[in-house]
Amino acid sequence: MAAATTTEPVIRVRGLVNRFGDQVVHDGLDLDVLPGEIIGVVGGSGSGKSVLMRSILGLRRPNAGEIEVLGIDARSDDDAVRRQIERNTGVLFQDGALFSSLTVGENVQVPLKEYHRDLPDSLRYELALLKVKLAGLPADALDKLPSQLSGGMRKRAGVARALALDPPLLFLDEPTAGLDPIGAAAFDHLIRTLQQALGLTVFLITHDLDTLYAICDRIAVLADRKVIACAPIAEVERLDHPWVREYFHGPRARAAQTARERNLGVLDMRASDVRSQT
């Protein structure tokens, strides 16, 4: 996994403050997200992972701080500015957050109808079909309701809708939650494949250690109301912080690290076999 070579962030957060009454969730939080990377956002319960994402997307107005998305002021009250950010960001909420009364195809077409009203219905249908296939779903899923899909398929349908407008930024909120290990691994592979094929920047909230080790270029750790570290996982593991020690050095973390090393070994063996045959 290669991190981005440029240092100019596509998301820039400075001095972010979020309060809910007397409860302070973020206090002076800073974060840069680099183009072309998958950044995993982790933290304990109540650390404000989803609040951070919602603030970046403009779904919540923070109490203080600066947020830029693709060089645009995400806190702007200008509707045209807000729509520009919305047009360039795709979001997968937990369990897909699909409209239950619409088919998968109709769900995927919702952003197309909002931002490309002049497109003929036939072209919108073809684009929806393309996105559904891109998300790894069979073509017949297009005409099914969300209730007719498994949990993993609903998440893939949510990805298809998030990619409807070909955004450069993809936000994922606990994308593997509720999936079995095989389904979660397949979803991780899908996200990495899409990121590489489409040049996406992915902001990924997760508690899944397997996902962190498998596909994330950097890890942003939320603790003490701030981002206390944002670095490759090997560097984060060395951080001397109580939550980091408990999270990254427990038995589940060791199992995830072992699985990653095993997978990398298999890939190295395959690459060696290919070289020996050429």
Side-chain angles (χ1 to χ4, degrees):
M1 293 181 293
T5 56
T6 178
T7 57
E8 189 67 27
V10 292
I11 299 173
R12 180 179 178 274
V13 180
R14 292 291 182 273
L16 185 69
V17 177
N18 273 304
R19 302 189 191 94
F20 295 89
D22 295 332
Q23 181 187 6
V24 180
V25 178
H26 302 135
D27 188 9
L29 182 149
D30 296 337
L31 177 65
D32 286 343
V33 178
L34 305 179
E37 73 172 345
I38 298 180
I39 186 167
V41 180
V42 301
S45 178
S47 60
K49 300 181 293 295
S50 294
V51 174
L52 172 59
M53 186 184 82
R54 292 174 64 84
S55 297
I56 294 171
L57 291 170
L59 300 176
R60 169 180 167 78
R61 188 166 185 84
N63 298 89
E66 300 176 1
I67 303 174
E68 290 183 1
V69 178
L70 298 170
I72 303 169
D73 181 7
R75 299 192 62 186
S76 173
D77 293 324
D78 189 320
D79 288 342
V81 171
R82 293 294 324 139
R83 286 180 65 82
Q84 187 174 354
I85 293 177
E86 291 171 3
R87 169 67 179 78
N88 286 285
T89 54
V91 186
L92 172 65
F93 294 102
Q94 293 188 35
D95 199 38
L98 300 169
F99 296 109
S100 60
S101 61
L102 302 180
T103 66
V104 170
E106 290 168 340
N107 267 280
V108 177
Q109 290 182 58
V110 167
L112 294 171
K113 289 181 178 179
E114 181 176 357
Y115 287 92
H116 297 294
R117 297 178 181 177
D118 296 333
L119 286 179
D121 291 343
S122 59
L123 182 54
R124 275 200 298 264
Y125 180 89
E126 291 299 324
L127 288 172
L129 178 60
L130 174 64
K131 302 304 180 182
V132 163
K133 291 181 176 179
L134 195 63
L137 289 173
D140 62 4
L142 199 72
D143 299 319
K144 293 183 177 180
L145 292 170
S147 60
Q148 297 174 295
L149 304 178
S150 67
M153 293 179 74
R154 282 197 299 273
K155 289 178 184 289
R156 287 176 181 262
V159 169
R161 186 178 64 182
L163 296 176
L165 299 175
D166 298 315
L169 292 173
L170 181 62
F171 291 78
L172 308 174
D173 190 359
E174 299 285 4
T176 58
L179 298 182
D180 62 78
I182 294 175
F187 197 89
D188 286 343
H189 178 71
L190 170 68
I191 297 305
R192 173 53 80 179
T193 300
L194 290 173
Q195 182 266 332
Q196 292 177 336
L198 304 178
L200 299 171
T201 300
V202 181
F203 182 101
L204 188 158
I205 296 173
T206 187
H207 67 278
D208 192 328
L209 282 158
D210 290 327
T211 297
L212 296 176
Y213 280 99
I215 66 171
C216 292
D217 298 304
R218 292 194 303 153
I219 312 298
V221 181
L222 270 63
D224 306 327
R225 302 173 182 171
K226 294 179 172 63
V227 173
I228 62 170
C230 188
I233 197 165
E235 295 182 27
V236 173
E237 288 175 328
R238 296 194 293 268
L239 189 66
D240 186 17
H241 185 278
W243 188 86
V244 171
R245 288 197 301 270
E246 182 178 358
Y247 188 76
F248 285 99
H249 297 282
R252 294 184 65 190
R254 289 194 293 271
Q257 186 175 15
T258 300
R260 177 178 182 271
E261 291 171 350
R262 184 170 58 248
N263 291 337
L264 289 176
V266 171
L267 292 175
D268 288 342
M269 290 174 61
R270 291 176 179 173
S272 178
D273 289 343
V274 170
R275 287 194 296 270
S276 67
Q277 295 171 12
T278 58

